[in-house]
Amino acid sequence: PTEQYMTYYDIFVRHAFGNLRDILREVSYSPIMGEMLGYVKQYSAPFKWQSESEITFADENFAREVMQLFSIGLIRLKADGTPDLDESGKIVETYSNLDITSYSRAWTGLFYSDTRANVEDRNIRDGRNDPMRVEFGQWRDHFPKTDLSGGYLGDKYPLCVELPRDGFLSKGSSYRLLGSKAQPDFLRDEWFSTGIPDDYVVLEEDSALYQVLCNKDEDEGTCQYSQTTITLPAKLDCSGAVECGVDTLRVVQVGEMYFEYVRPACVQLAFYENAQTIRGRWGGLGSLCANPLLPDASEACCNSNNLKRAFRNCTYTGERMKASTAAARCTAGRVTCDFISVNKSLQKCEKHAHGYHWRKSSCALQVKISPEGQIALVHSPGDTDIEPNLKEEALNFFSAYWSAEGFPTSANNECGGCTVMTSGDCLCDTTVKEEAVFNSEPSSAAEVLSRLFIGVNEGVFDPTQYSNTLKIDDNLEAYYNSASCCDEDTVFKATDAKTQRVFILKNVESTVTLDGTDLPFSFRNPPHFISFMRSDRTI
């Protein structure tokens, strides 16, 4: 068929007078390019380890070529086109093998879109005319990834943990029209079954959210459903026990149509304090650590005389909530427990209870350090059935940005007081610290952009909540409530002089320190977009 190649050719026709960024974006998701450089239908190393206990590495072809041939080349250049030199006069290369490895992991999990009947395509399963889709739940590498500028993919995005409890009602929240089916497109779950009334939330007609999504025609009195994507123009008040009682929504029914809530883009930090254990209903999903401040799991409540079998008390099937909300759902004498199984019945919530549930026990977050200074996450939930990719023997290493003290090794300092593993790696306990980066007024927006990495959600940010505003220059403003700038509650609004992109950033850095070591070893807390939970990687 020729149409698939004409579709690829049309990318360059559309952007002939545009810019390289747009061309690269479309080419990267083209199934034709995915086939040529081998990254379509590519399994990630964590998926292969989890499913087959097989050690593999992501294909590096496209990760290398998109830099070497399509964009930055091998040598870093100055503005005048001459090679950039380091202090010793040597040419500076644009990327290293570690950069290729990191980016190759970012290009895993891409799959063909579904075929369409109105295009020329002989393959009945794999669509070659539409952009590839990201298959998070099956094949995507979900661990942190470094970038070329000394940071991580996800830097300057807001933290998911700082989205408000009723974030689905916040300014800027988006809802996508699904039509007459309740099956979500973006948040796919194995529990979701089309047509089951408990799978979605039916909004009340007097709800402010209902009114916005309905967009009622005043003359006919019926919902218009005139937009496929609706963004809330302002913060809305909750209405009724459901809206006011849940931490998040998934799918809502408005009249005869359904909408899917699309959470704003945000990142999680790999390390955090007060980790709590979550576990699958049966043994199919292993235990792992979770941040109790995130709506990551469902409730599980046991009778006081049987703390091994739990029951549900949810608002809708597949509801996720914070640990505190899960505990509050345990009523009528039931308590949060370290269950072995969650009851399955024909009752609401229990018929599709395949996800993760909060347990009572705490969970330890550890880090495994290779002799080269790369790190891997280790979760210790006090359970033998641990998620494979978070066990001590897993090999999901990625680069870390260490402080000046460097990192411990088994060869040089016997891991500095951490556990020396038979593999030669170091296994250390961790503590997370958050501190202000600027204690006085920064010099420029460039300095702020180079040292701050945690963003603030634009829909939540309200300048009127701060008593002081300081305009440092045309590209930088500071917002604070203290007597003078700056402390850990200060927020900066900085404009990148090159791209004119505006960032709203917290004056905070999250650092992971190693416990019990002879030197103050520490590294920057890495962000990641995708949850480590096996059944929830579509978020």
Side-chain angles (χ1 to χ4, degrees):
T2 59
E3 186 168 358
Q4 60 196 33
Y5 299 105
M6 294 304 298
T7 299
Y8 182 78
Y9 174 80
D10 284 343
I11 295 175
F12 301 94
V13 174
R14 281 194 301 274
H15 301 292
F17 301 100
N19 59 73
L20 180 61
R21 177 189 290 268
D22 292 336
I23 292 176
L24 281 178
R25 182 185 294 112
E26 289 204 44
V27 164
S28 298
Y29 283 90
S30 166
I32 302 302
M33 181 61 70
E35 290 173 347
M36 185 176 75
L37 291 181
Y39 62 101
V40 64
K41 287 187 174 182
Q42 181 183 188
Y43 295 122
S44 68
F47 175 80
K48 295 293 285 185
W49 175 257
Q50 169 191 294
S51 59
E52 302 175 20
S53 298
E54 181 180 342
I55 299 174
T56 62
F57 298 91
D59 188 289
E60 297 178 354
N61 268 344
F62 184 71
R64 181 186 298 106
E65 307 302 0
V66 75
M67 293 187 288
Q68 179 179 343
L69 300 182
F70 300 166
S71 57
I72 58 177
L74 294 172
I75 299 172
R76 196 168 72 187
L77 303 177
K78 298 178 183 178
D80 62 1
T82 58
D84 196 5
L85 306 177
D86 61 17
E87 295 178 354
S88 61
K90 294 182 179 180
I91 291 176
V92 178
E93 297 181 345
T94 53
Y95 59 86
S96 67
N97 284 332
L98 284 177
D99 294 321
I100 296 174
T101 301
S102 179
Y103 279 133
S104 69
R105 296 192 297 111
W107 292 108
T108 56
L110 288 167
F111 193 74
Y112 293 102
S113 294
D114 295 333
T115 56
R116 291 186 283 126
N118 62 336
V119 296
E120 180 188 25
D121 200 336
R122 291 178 181 174
N123 195 312
I124 61 174
R125 292 184 177 179
D126 301 336
R128 287 177 166 81
N129 289 279
D130 296 314
M132 293 183 289
R133 72 172 191 266
V134 178
E135 189 67 31
F136 284 120
Q138 292 294 322
W139 305 332
R140 186 77 163 171
D141 187 303
H142 46 285
F143 288 100
K145 304 166 185 68
T146 52
D147 62 21
L148 293 178
S149 59
Y152 289 99
L153 301 182
D155 279 347
K156 296 181 173 59
Y157 277 81
L159 299 180
C160 300
V161 74
E162 294 184 348
L163 295 177
R165 181 177 183 271
D166 56 352
F168 55 90
L169 296 173
S170 296
K171 177 183 177 181
S173 294
S174 296
Y175 288 82
R176 185 172 181 273
L177 178 64
L178 297 174
S180 58
K181 64 180 181 68
Q183 181 74 33
D185 290 333
F186 290 163
L187 306 181
R188 295 184 300 277
D189 289 290
E190 56 184 296
W191 55 262
F192 215 99
S193 176
T194 304
I196 305 298
D198 296 330
D199 284 347
Y200 48 82
V201 171
V202 181
L203 297 182
E204 301 174 2
E205 290 194 25
D206 59 355
S207 160
L209 180 59
Y210 180 101
Q211 298 299 326
V212 172
L213 300 181
C214 172
N215 190 22
K216 184 177 293 185
D217 184 292
E218 296 299 333
D219 296 328
E220 298 185 6
T222 58
C223 295
Q224 298 186 71
Y225 309 118
S226 55
Q227 301 179 56
T228 56
T229 300
I230 296 177
T231 301
L232 300 187
K235 174 74 170 64
L236 304 180
D237 293 328
C238 65
S239 175
V242 174
E243 284 186 28
C244 298
V246 298
D247 289 335
T248 187
L249 291 177
R250 307 298 294 278
V251 174
V252 297
Q253 182 180 9
V254 178
E256 298 178 354
M257 295 293 178
Y258 298 91
F259 288 84
E260 178 180 9
Y261 167 59
V262 182
R263 190 189 64 184
C266 61
V267 295
Q268 301 178 30
L269 295 179
F271 297 87
Y272 42 87
E273 291 295 287
N274 304 313
Q276 197 163 327
T277 301
I278 59 174
R279 178 188 169 106
R281 179 174 61 99
W282 303 110
L285 297 176
S287 300
L288 68 155
C289 302
N291 191 332
L293 302 179
L294 282 171
D296 275 348
S298 302
E299 80 295 343
C301 307
C302 294
N303 293 318
S304 57
N305 60 352
N306 184 358
L307 299 179
K308 299 303 179 183
R309 186 180 186 185
F311 297 84
R312 301 289 311 280
N313 183 25
C314 70
T315 300
Y316 59 91
T317 305
E319 180 189 4
R320 292 176 177 83
M321 60 195 72
K322 301 176 183 178
S324 58
T325 304
R329 293 289 179 87
C330 296
T331 58
R334 289 177 175 169
V335 295
T336 303
C337 53
D338 291 328
F339 61 87
I340 300 298
S341 65
V342 179
N343 188 56
K344 183 177 181 181
S345 70
L346 295 179
Q347 301 299 317
K348 172 180 152 182
C349 305
E350 295 179 349
K351 54 193 169 189
H352 299 298
H354 296 294
Y356 288 93
H357 302 267
W358 290 104
R359 301 185 86 192
K360 182 179 180 181
S361 57
S362 60
C363 191
L365 293 173
Q366 297 176 295
V367 61
K368 183 167 64 171
I369 306 162
S370 74
E372 297 76 29
Q374 290 199 306
I375 64 174
L377 306 179
V378 176
H379 286 195
S380 300
D383 198 332
T384 57
D385 187 22
I386 305 173
E387 276 293 294
N389 283 306
L390 298 168
K391 291 183 176 180
E392 290 184 10
E393 59 265 31
L395 300 175
N396 298 304
F397 286 101
F398 56 91
S399 297
Y401 296 109
W402 292 92
S403 60
E405 290 77 17
F407 53 89
T409 64
S410 57
N412 295 336
N413 50 22
E414 296 185 349
C415 290
C418 296
T419 301
V420 180
M421 306 180 70
T422 56
S423 60
D425 302 321
C426 302
L427 182 65
C428 306
D429 295 328
T430 62
T431 298
V432 178
K433 295 182 179 179
E434 292 190 353
E435 298 177 321
V437 176
F438 295 101
N439 294 312
S440 59
E441 182 181 319
S443 61
S444 65
E447 183 183 14
V448 168
L449 292 172
S450 67
R451 297 182 62 187
L452 298 184
F453 305 103
I454 300 177
V456 177
N457 183 272
E458 293 185 16
V460 176
F461 176 64
D462 183 2
T464 64
Q465 297 299 312
Y466 296 89
S467 56
N468 296 301
T469 301
L470 174 64
K471 185 173 182 179
I472 299 173
D473 59 37
D474 291 341
N475 292 325
L476 182 62
E477 294 179 350
Y479 301 86
Y480 55 94
N481 289 317
S482 55
S484 61
C485 185
C486 306
D487 59 19
E488 61 183 15
D489 295 322
T490 300
V491 172
F492 291 101
K493 187 175 183 180
T495 302
D496 188 312
K498 293 181 179 180
T499 65
Q500 293 301 303
R501 184 179 175 185
V502 178
F503 295 90
I504 304 175
L505 302 168
K506 293 183 63 178
N507 184 33
V508 169
E509 182 176 37
S510 180
T511 303
V512 181
T513 60
L514 307 186
D515 295 343
T517 54
D518 50 9
L519 291 174
F521 297 113
S522 63
F523 56 89
R524 180 155 75 85
N525 201 350
H528 59 98
F529 283 102
I530 309 172
S531 170
F532 298 142
M533 295 182 293
R534 193 191 313 178
S535 68
D536 194 27
R537 293 183 190 148
T538 55
I539 293 184

